[in-house]
Amino acid sequence: MNLILLGPPGAGKGTQAKMLIDAYGIPQISTGDMLREAVKNQTELGMEAKKYMDSGQLVPDEVVIGLAKDRIAQPDCDKGFMLDGFPRTVPQAEALDKVLDGMDKKIDHVISIEVPNSELLGRLTGRRTCKACGQGFHVMFDPPKQEGVCDKCGGELYQRDDDNETTVGNRLKVYEDQTAPLIDYYTNKGLLRPIDGVGSIEDIQTRIKAVLG
Ligand code: AP5
């Protein structure tokens, strides 16, 4: 099964994707995680991407399309994959269609997680992520057992550079302008599966599984 997780920053795409990995035995492909890894390793691509990420802008299409294309071609994606945070513009979606056509693959469902803007700021500014394994937490809605320590691997939790109020504001605007048009794009293809993203993390997982079967 090949999935896309679509939704504004903080909608819960990463949180839900991590839970779906085990349930469906398919890998999560997060372009955001791949870019943050490149920033951490101070690669040329990472240094270039950081400028956009720190201001809440999108990294140029050709960069992320290349990253996603190479990742989908890996053998662990043969039985399916979950795209988290890609595509994010109509040109990215069109490029993805071409890449998948060439591989004789197709997207089965686009899970569109809907959360009102009023809820997103609090989710993002309270997010904490494990430096070692990438597990996400929230200081109020999903706190770790011990403050600053990952429940899963004992790693150190950190706050993302782009989770401050100013950058979150830019990211939400960029989402409305450049990513929200994908809702129509995938509705027209009959692939959009809207999910109410307000409620407990477990309830939302149940709603997604009800759609995927
Ligand atoms: P990326 O890392 O993809 O960030 P994003 O799309 O802004 O999404 P987030 O990771 O912020 O949110 P999420 O929906 O995964 O929420 P999460 O599950 O963590 O991208 C970062 C940057 O990289 C971009 O700004 C851009 O510069 C660049 N980039 C990446 N991909 C790109 C692309 N394709 N093209 C161009 N540029 C690209 O949840 C958030 C918090 O809420 C957590 O603390 C969680 O615990 C909590 N939470 C989750 N669910 C619930 C719930 N139901 N109730 C209460 N709290 C909840």
Side-chain angles (χ1 to χ4, degrees):
M1 183 161 51
N2 301 327
L3 306 178
I4 293 174
L5 293 171
L6 184 65
K13 304 181 294 294
T15 303
Q16 297 298 329
K18 288 205 165 45
M19 296 165 83
L20 292 170
I21 294 173
D22 291 336
Y24 292 94
I26 54 176
Q28 170 197 14
I29 301 179
S30 159
T31 41
D33 286 349
M34 291 162 88
L35 291 167
R36 277 184 290 280
E37 188 64 20
V39 171
K40 191 170 100 189
N41 295 331
Q42 300 192 329
T43 64
E44 199 177 320
L45 186 152
M47 309 289 264
E48 178 65 16
K50 187 172 168 29
K51 292 187 284 191
Y52 298 96
M53 297 169 81
D54 282 351
S55 61
Q57 300 302 315
L58 295 183
V59 173
D61 285 340
E62 58 276 18
V63 174
V64 282
I65 290 167
L67 279 179
K69 185 178 171 189
D70 291 350
R71 183 63 187 86
I72 293 169
Q74 298 295 312
D76 66 333
C77 294
D78 284 351
K79 55 184 189 294
F81 54 82
M82 250 180 296
L83 291 168
D84 161 11
F86 180 91
R88 230 165 164 118
T89 62
V90 170
Q92 288 182 23
E94 290 168 347
L96 176 65
D97 287 344
K98 276 203 193 118
V99 167
L100 294 180
D101 267 356
M103 293 172 155
D104 216 12
K105 292 177 195 250
K106 64 174 179 55
I107 295 297
D108 298 298
H109 305 281
V110 177
I111 302 292
S112 173
I113 308 180
E114 300 176 341
V115 178
N117 274 8
S118 53
E119 187 142 338
L120 297 172
L121 179 65
R123 285 197 190 183
L124 289 168
T125 51
R127 170 166 52 190
R128 299 294 181 269
T129 308
C130 177
K131 270 188 183 168
C133 74
Q135 182 66 33
F137 296 89
H138 191 281
V139 290
M140 276 171 67
F141 308 133
D142 186 20
K145 291 194 183 81
Q146 191 186 337
E147 196 185 327
V149 180
C150 177
D151 290 353
K152 209 169 141 195
C153 76
E156 186 190 340
L157 303 186
Y158 79 105
Q159 182 170 23
R160 269 171 48 177
D161 288 343
D162 59 349
D163 277 348
N164 62 74
E165 269 190 47
T166 311
T167 310
V168 167
N170 290 341
R171 287 162 61 198
L172 292 175
K173 183 161 187 333
V174 165
Y175 174 81
E176 284 306 326
D177 293 346
Q178 300 189 53
T179 308
L182 292 180
I183 292 174
D184 280 348
Y185 184 89
Y186 287 116
T187 300
N188 292 338
K189 288 181 178 284
L191 293 175
L192 200 83
R193 317 282 181 250
I195 300 285
D196 176 5
V198 178
S200 75
I201 290 171
E202 291 71 26
D203 283 349
I204 292 154
Q205 180 75 183
T206 305
R207 289 173 204 159
I208 295 175
K209 284 182 176 166
V211 165
L212 298 181

